[in-house]
Amino acid sequence: MAACTAASGSAPAAGPDTAVHPALWPKATWPLPKDAALEQRVRALMAKMTLEEKVGQLIQADILSVTPDDVRKYRLGSILAGGNSKPGGQLVADAVQWKALADAFHRAAMDTSDGHVAIPLLFGIDAVHGHNGAVGATLFPQNSALGATHDPALMREIGAATAEEVRATGINWTFAPALAVPQDVRWGRSYEGYSQDPKLVAQYAGAMVEGLQGKVGTPQFLDSMHVVASAKHFLADGGTKDGKDQGDAQISEEILRTVHAAGYPPAIDAGVQSVMASFSSWNGQKMHGNKALITDVLKDRMDFQGFVVGDWNAHGQVPGCTNEDCPVSINAGIDMLMAPDSWRGLYEHTLAEAKSGAIPMARVDDAVARILRVKFRAGLFDAGLPSSNPLAARSADVVGSPAHRAIARRAVRESLVLLKNNGGVLPLDPRKHILVAGDGADNISRQSGGWTLTWQGAGLKNANFPGAQSIGAGIAEQVRAAGGTVEIAADGHHAGKPDAAVVVFGEDPYAEFQGDIPNLLYRPGDDHDLELIRHLRGEGVPVVAVFLSGRPLWMNREINAADAFVAAWLPGSEGGGVADVLVRTRDGHVAHDFHGKLSFAWPRSAVQGQGSPLFPLGYGLTYADHGMLPTLPETSGIRGEQVPVGNYLERGKPVHGYTFTLRGADGSSTPGDVSPAATGDGALRMTALDYKAQEDARRFAWNKGDAQLAITARAPMDLDRETNGDVLLITTLRIDALPGKEAWIGMACGKGCEGRVQLGPQLAGMPNGQWLRIGVSLKCFRKAGADMHHIEQPFVWSAGKGAEVAISRAALGTDADQVMECAR
């Protein structure tokens, strides 16, 4: 079996810019005393283990790519549920389904009928703002919101509540807390960081670890009500150049040490049991292969005695490695490799390299011992079936409990930051007539963001969130209780002129690289939120803007247009917490004033890092502040046309920066920007259609075969990273007729370069007249011949004679009603 090219597995020779000086790094103190009894248990167990069993402990597989029988055979040490991985491959799952899955895997790991030793599994999940993978769970505000509370004690409460809900579903490990210190909020994971200020991150780190795991030295530490925590991502994931996810932190060792490592010593002091390595690089060297940082700094200098886990196939990015083969990472100090779908090949290669000495046995034994110590400390050997956990036995009372929701609602209240309140429009009088408008008015998915039930958090409905409350519903509840009236309308239409309007709007949900942006503009080319605010103001209605986002963006125009502007971040499931602060009590008092202060500076310009901030760290008004915010300049600082990447057709029309063309069977082209339209040869006709709003879709009728509709980008796009990240091209459509069962979707990459995926037979089996979101993996287009580095037409569609298809939207994403096979 081929091994990585670095035979010894040591880190590459460091140049001047990657030299590490461990003696200059901060020390930490592992808080757990030496435990002779524990060490004896570990030694005794390892003495019984075969090399195959030891290697199994080093491998973590995803639940969609591994079965209990696989665990029984390979004796894997851990499984995980990735962002889109649910029991049975479902879109979402509840506590009962999670417990059943956890029990099945536990039984397999503990089965000794084949002569193997019984070693319980660590079952990991990204419970990063509550147990966000379980239906009905409490969804706390995302970390960028929690930073604005400046309340470490609250973090401890949130950690404890999250741990209880995770254990109640049979899972014992969360990949949290994230200790990134984002320095460029163009990074799509910025909302996973508490602050750009390393001091605040350091204050939160130990508190969150203690909340999740319990306090070292108390009976609660790693008991049945707590979970194993994982500080992540080591190191400088929040410091990459231009905020690129999985990118390169081109910074000095001093900044690496003083800014980006700030949260790790407090986490270690609190006894964090695992640390997750970062996808990113430091000055060109991948963290998953950086022995100087992982072993010499983290394990030796910082005295970290837990285990280091890799990230999702990140070891495969180390030079000389693949997803299925990477001794370099293990020799660098990674103890457990996260190989979600590559675990089988990785197991075979790692076993061979342990036998050959490419991975020294001392390194194998050290990694296994570290993992086993955590399992013993967490009481997993004595815990029994996951469903027998006391919390799991009453999961219906634990998951989304009133007590946990109360903590989350308090966190929402404390995280709101008031940036403007001209004329004292806030707090609102609940005895009046209030309009709640905007796309986020009654949208729990939007107010929760990514890593919410699914990886990207998109494509969900309020019905997916039992027990949760939207911001609009929370305002309506309090206003109506006080005798006032409320209308909730996303588009701002109202039956009677309101006394005030609350416009709730913001970013669509995203996660990881899907959220990377080139600058700090909000929705470039799409001003419908701004137009709504201006329209209501033009009617003489005072407007409160409530902005939902994972990060601060350049919002000068919206701030100017509104009377009051509130940064609500991503508050999660308890939308009523917004109403608690915005609305007076029925007797006219203020029950909750604004508490939040910025933990990320608010930009003056849409150019990252340009000039002093508009609102600095620590800024935030209260109701006692009566000053008037002057009109802000509305020049963004960005020159040239801004073309969004990933959204091509919206509400039946091409998105700004793209052109829409109808191409006849004779090759002639007709603009498709205005409806109705038809090709010159009559092969294809387009008409407007109402889907959710007036003329927000287009209906296409084929009178001849070979006619096409196509979206063309102004400049070629590189979609290779999205392709590797399992992104889909999702079309929102309705099939009205497909008599010949002929239809294909494609991406074009220049003359003679195209990738087509046949859809006809698959679509023919779907019900006519029903709107669906069908997804085609970008890997299908690459497999069919498209050059994903050079996509000129990201959306091409064709069908046969007699076909009638309605289309409303075409965009990249990860959430579809039906994922198509790669048929060619």
Side-chain angles (χ1 to χ4, degrees):
M1 296 180 182
C4 294
T5 55
S8 68
S10 59
D17 56 345
T18 57
V20 176
H21 305 85
L24 299 179
W25 286 68
K27 286 187 174 183
T29 303
W30 185 248
L32 296 167
K34 295 293 183 182
D35 187 335
L38 171 62
E39 294 304 315
Q40 175 56 34
R41 292 184 76 182
V42 171
R43 284 194 301 269
L45 181 56
M46 289 182 64
K48 299 177 183 178
M49 295 172 68
T50 64
L51 179 58
E52 288 77 5
E53 289 170 325
K54 290 180 179 180
V55 169
Q57 289 297 302
L58 310 186
I59 309 294
Q60 183 182 55
D62 184 79
I63 61 172
L64 292 188
S65 300
V66 69
T67 66
D69 283 341
D70 291 328
V71 167
R72 184 177 289 106
K73 177 180 178 180
Y74 290 92
R75 315 312 289 185
L76 302 182
S78 177
I79 57 171
L80 82 149
N84 281 333
S85 300
K86 303 296 186 298
Q90 302 172 109
L91 175 66
V92 295
D94 60 20
V96 173
Q97 294 162 325
W98 281 117
K99 286 187 292 185
L101 184 72
D103 279 356
F105 276 108
H106 177 83
R107 289 189 181 98
M110 303 302 284
D111 185 354
T112 59
S113 61
D114 55 5
H116 287 297
V117 294
I119 302 177
L121 287 168
L122 280 164
F123 189 166
I125 196 168
D126 289 274
V128 293
H129 66 121
H131 191 6
N132 43 266
V135 169
T138 308
L139 300 174
F140 295 92
Q142 298 275 7
N143 285 356
S144 57
L146 296 180
T149 70
H150 295 267
D151 190 344
L154 177 59
M155 300 308 105
R156 190 174 286 104
E157 291 185 53
I158 290 172
T162 299
E164 289 182 8
E165 298 202 13
V166 171
R167 287 307 292 266
T169 60
I171 300 171
N172 52 35
W173 181 13
T174 178
F175 303 135
L179 301 181
V181 189
Q183 300 299 292
D184 186 334
V185 296
R186 291 178 294 176
W187 183 38
R189 302 191 78 158
S190 291
Y191 65 82
E192 297 185 45
Y194 297 115
S195 176
Q196 71 182 68
D197 181 1
K199 294 180 181 177
L200 182 59
V201 174
Q203 291 173 8
Y204 276 23
M208 183 57 81
V209 168
E210 284 190 355
L212 291 167
Q213 295 189 164
K215 187 175 178 59
V216 173
T218 70
Q220 288 74 41
F221 180 65
L222 291 178
D223 67 2
S224 61
M225 298 182 67
H226 292 88
V227 294
V228 171
S230 186
K232 68 181 189 183
H233 305 89
F234 192 85
L235 191 60
D237 51 340
T240 60
K241 179 177 173 56
D242 298 327
K244 293 294 184 183
D245 191 44
Q246 303 181 20
D248 189 26
Q250 299 175 13
I251 55 178
S252 68
E253 184 188 8
E254 180 182 7
I255 294 175
L256 185 71
R257 181 178 70 240
T258 59
V259 175
H260 297 284
Y264 290 91
I268 294 168
D269 290 343
V272 70
Q273 294 294 293
S274 66
V275 169
M276 183 179 290
S278 177
F279 263 109
S280 60
S281 307
W282 175 51
N283 290 335
Q285 187 174 345
K286 282 291 179 182
M287 286 293 166
H288 273 64
N290 197 318
K291 185 174 185 292
L293 289 173
I294 293 171
T295 296
D296 299 346
V297 169
L298 178 63
K299 290 184 173 180
D300 295 343
R301 177 67 175 178
M302 292 186 181
D303 196 28
F304 174 61
Q305 296 182 31
F307 70 89
V308 178
V309 63
D311 206 343
W312 187 278
N313 277 333
H315 56 274
Q317 297 183 2
V318 175
C321 289
T322 67
N323 290 352
E324 296 186 341
D325 186 12
C326 195
V328 172
S329 283
I330 295 176
N331 288 334
I334 308 288
D335 301 302
M336 180 186 289
L337 291 178
M338 186 185 292
D341 54 358
S342 59
W343 63 269
R344 197 183 307 266
L346 184 65
Y347 172 90
E348 298 292 351
H349 282 100
T350 303
L351 178 60
E353 287 147 3
K355 289 179 177 178
S356 72
I359 302 174
M361 273 308 303
R363 175 78 271 269
V364 172
D365 285 343
D366 173 59
V368 173
R370 286 172 174 269
I371 294 165
L372 293 180
R373 288 187 193 105
V374 171
K375 293 183 176 184
F376 277 119
R377 290 188 193 112
L380 301 186
F381 284 86
D382 307 312
L385 283 172
S387 63
S388 69
N389 176 287
L391 293 173
R394 53 185 185 90
S395 58
D397 298 324
V398 176
V399 176
S401 73
H404 295 165
R405 292 190 183 277
I407 297 170
R409 189 160 178 158
R410 174 188 157 201
V412 174
R413 292 196 296 263
E414 289 193 22
S415 65
L416 302 177
V417 180
L418 181 61
L419 299 179
K420 177 183 180 180
N421 191 23
N422 285 10
V425 65
L426 286 174
L428 298 172
D429 185 343
R431 299 166 296 181
K432 303 289 188 178
H433 180 54
I434 307 296
L435 169 69
V436 187
D439 294 339
D442 191 33
N443 192 320
I444 297 169
S445 172
R446 183 169 299 222
Q447 72 192 39
S448 298
W451 289 111
T452 299
L453 295 186
T454 65
W455 177 36
Q456 296 292 324
L460 300 165
K461 302 176 182 178
N462 285 357
N464 295 124
F465 302 93
Q469 186 176 52
S470 70
I471 292 172
I475 292 173
E477 180 180 64
Q478 296 196 33
V479 169
R480 288 168 181 158
T485 56
V486 172
E487 289 183 77
I488 300 177
D491 60 6
H493 288 303
H494 47 81
K497 182 179 178 181
D499 295 298
V502 179
V503 177
V504 187
F505 67 105
E507 293 185 290
D508 292 322
Y510 56 82
E512 300 192 40
F513 60 82
Q514 285 275 74
D516 285 0
I517 52 177
N519 53 54
L520 303 181
L521 289 175
Y522 169 66
R523 291 190 185 280
D526 181 358
D527 289 340
H528 79 276
D529 297 315
L530 176 63
E531 291 167 358
L532 175 58
I533 296 170
R534 287 174 172 172
H535 174 74
L536 290 169
R537 282 287 300 280
E539 291 185 316
V541 178
V543 174
V544 177
V546 176
F547 183 48
L548 302 173
S549 73
R551 52 196 161 195
L553 296 172
W554 184 75
M555 302 298 294
N556 286 22
R557 298 183 303 163
E558 289 82 1
I559 293 172
N560 283 339
D563 297 280
F565 193 94
V566 177
W569 313 106
L570 297 171
S573 61
E574 306 314 300
V578 176
D580 290 345
V581 181
L582 266 57
V583 180
R584 294 181 183 271
T585 62
R586 69 172 65 195
D587 57 5
H589 294 303
V590 173
H592 301 282
D593 201 344
F594 280 91
H595 173 97
K597 306 294 180 184
L598 292 177
S599 63
F600 290 87
W602 202 275
R604 183 178 299 275
S605 161
V607 180
Q608 169 68 25
Q610 185 180 76
S612 60
L614 177 63
F615 302 115
L617 284 174
Y619 182 88
L621 302 175
T622 68
Y623 286 136
D625 296 307
H626 300 295
M628 297 284 287
L629 182 70
T631 301
L632 303 174
E634 296 194 358
T635 302
S636 71
I638 301 294
R639 296 181 179 180
E641 204 168 34
Q642 299 302 304
V643 179
V645 176
N647 193 5
Y648 312 125
L649 187 72
E650 187 71 53
R651 301 179 184 181
K653 297 179 181 179
V655 173
H656 172 76
Y658 297 88
T659 58
F660 191 15
T661 305
L662 306 181
R663 188 178 306 142
D666 61 358
S668 62
S669 295
T670 302
D673 296 341
V674 179
S675 183
T679 59
D681 64 353
L684 178 61
R685 179 171 178 79
M686 178 183 77
T687 54
L689 179 75
D690 293 349
Y691 170 34
K692 291 185 176 180
Q694 185 176 2
E695 296 191 359
D696 64 341
R698 296 291 181 267
R699 190 167 184 266
F700 302 91
W702 277 263
N703 296 315
K704 300 178 182 179
D706 297 326
Q708 303 172 14
L709 56 102
I711 297 289
T712 303
R714 299 284 175 87
M717 300 179 296
D718 186 349
L719 299 180
D720 186 67
R721 185 171 57 160
E722 288 79 358
T723 303
N724 292 333
D726 294 325
V727 173
L728 310 172
L729 174 59
I730 299 175
T731 309
T732 302
L733 57 76
R734 187 185 73 192
I735 302 295
D736 292 333
L738 202 65
K741 298 183 181 180
E742 299 173 22
W744 58 262
I745 189 171
M747 284 191 168
C749 37
K751 187 175 181 180
C753 179
E754 186 180 53
R756 295 184 180 183
V757 178
Q758 296 296 328
L759 299 180
Q762 299 179 71
L763 292 175
M766 296 182 185
N768 284 4
Q770 180 177 327
W771 284 95
L772 292 170
R773 294 167 301 151
I774 65 158
V776 177
S777 171
L778 297 188
K779 292 178 179 177
C780 293
F781 299 110
R782 181 169 64 187
K783 184 178 179 181
D787 177 1
M788 304 310 291
H789 290 285
H790 189 91
I791 296 298
E792 296 182 0
Q793 292 183 324
F795 181 75
V796 184
W797 184 282
S798 182
K801 182 180 179 180
E804 296 178 359
V805 180
I807 299 177
S808 176
R809 187 172 191 265
L812 301 186
T814 59
D815 183 62
D817 297 316
Q818 183 73 40
V819 177
M820 303 287 104
E821 296 180 0
C822 296
R824 294 176 62 182

